[in-house]
Amino acid sequence: MHWANVQLLRPDLAVSSGVARSVREDVLGERRIDDPIEVSAVARLFACVLRRTSSEDLACCGVSGLLRPLRESPSRFEILYPTGQARTRQRFTVAHELGHTFFFDRAVSPPSRLSPHGGQAEERFCDLFASELLVPRSAIRRPLDARRCLEAAAHFFVSPQVVALRAVRARLFPYRAMMGVALLGKPSAPEALAPRISWVVSERGTWVPLAARLKQFSGLEEIMELSDQTVVRTVNLGSCRGAYEHAIAVCGRQIVLALRPAGSPLRTAMRGPAAAGVRCNPVT
Ligand SMILES: [Zn+2]
């Protein structure tokens, strides 16, 4: 099955990864399969033009990106993505929108949907397609730690959150939770700046609230000084309570913190169905 001929009536997660791998091979060749991919090259193959627009234009539609079929154009679609996003986020947005093209009949002009929008299932399909396109599963070979999460994110030019999600899916996520840390306010008090959780990827059954303050540290400076160290601190973060081992990695403004109960054996792989029950906020 060649990816260019794939037209889908329903979102099927098993198909999503396979198609994304085929696209990577087409763009990069098998020998460079672990290289970062340029989403604009994929967009050209998909006959999509990329167009930046203001975040406000898209926010009023309640979306972070938009795929629009085109009439009377050599391109089949245009993908709108916001100027205000970080470049890594823009790449994920474009890759996600490319995933939606599989649900259109591309032989007609303008392309028309093969079936009604598949709701959350189609969104998950597109997220998985984008993740595999940007970070191939083959790149996650060992249990992910905080430092390797940052290194892989820099190599593939994605958010560390995307890498953490890939590790969960590959069953190579040995923590209760991995999170980004930044100096943030909280929604009810934007001026209350403190080290807070900017994104979370957690294993099944673990809940960690976004924007929670990391009270176990005196401030952002202390966290940054602990880069590449593992410390045990008492936490009260959602369902993580008690003594937890904190593995910390810092690279520039990116901070990743990985949590697991102190004294528990370090697992080398997750049990159970991959990615089942994984919680995360929308990819940042
Ligand atoms: Zn979507």
Side-chain angles (χ1 to χ4, degrees), residues 65 96-97 100 117 122-123 126:
H96 172 102
E97 297 304 327
H100 282 296
H117 190 286
E122 185 171 324
E123 296 307 319
C126 295

Side-chain angles (χ1 to χ4, degrees), residues 106-171:
R106 282 169 280 182
V108 297
S109 183
S112 66
R113 283 200 67 97
L114 293 157
S115 58
H117 190 286
Q120 283 305 309
E122 185 171 324
E123 296 307 319
R124 280 198 297 276
F125 174 100
C126 295
D127 279 347
L128 183 57
F129 172 81
S131 300
E132 178 73 38
L133 187 67
L134 296 170
V135 183
R137 187 167 177 163
S138 57
I140 311 287
R141 298 186 182 95
R142 291 180 289 162
L144 190 71
D145 63 27
R147 173 55 57 191
R148 278 207 303 283
C149 180
L150 280 177
E151 288 171 354
H155 174 75
F156 290 109
F157 208 29
V158 295
S159 152
Q161 185 187 358
V162 174
V163 178
L165 282 167
R166 301 301 292 145
V168 169
R169 198 149 184 95
R171 304 187 192 201

Side-chain angles (χ1 to χ4, degrees), residues 149-276:
C149 180
L150 280 177
E151 288 171 354
H155 174 75
F156 290 109
F157 208 29
V158 295
S159 152
Q161 185 187 358
V162 174
V163 178
L165 282 167
R166 301 301 292 145
V168 169
R169 198 149 184 95
R171 304 187 192 201
L172 291 169
F173 185 80
Y175 297 100
R176 282 279 169 86
M178 195 176 269
M179 58 197 72
V181 179
L183 200 60
L184 300 170
K186 55 184 176 181
S188 58
E191 72 287 355
L193 294 179
R196 295 182 192 276
I197 299 171
S198 57
W199 57 263
V200 182
V201 172
S202 56
E203 69 165 12
R204 185 177 198 166
T206 299
W207 173 68
V208 177
L210 276 176
R213 183 174 181 168
L214 296 170
K215 294 177 183 163
Q216 65 272 41
F217 297 102
S218 60
L220 203 62
E221 273 184 14
E222 186 192 5
I223 299 174
M224 296 182 80
E225 283 168 7
L226 290 168
S227 182
D228 293 317
Q229 295 184 45
T230 299
V231 295
V232 174
R233 298 278 163 95
T234 302
V235 294
N236 184 3
L237 290 171
S239 59
C240 294
R241 292 176 187 198
Y244 269 69
E245 197 178 284
H246 297 53
I248 302 163
V250 180
C251 182
R253 292 166 60 190
Q254 298 266 25
I255 303 173
V256 169
L257 190 65
L259 290 185
R260 68 186 194 91
S264 62
L266 187 62
R267 293 166 304 155
T268 54
M270 281 173 72
R271 290 194 196 92

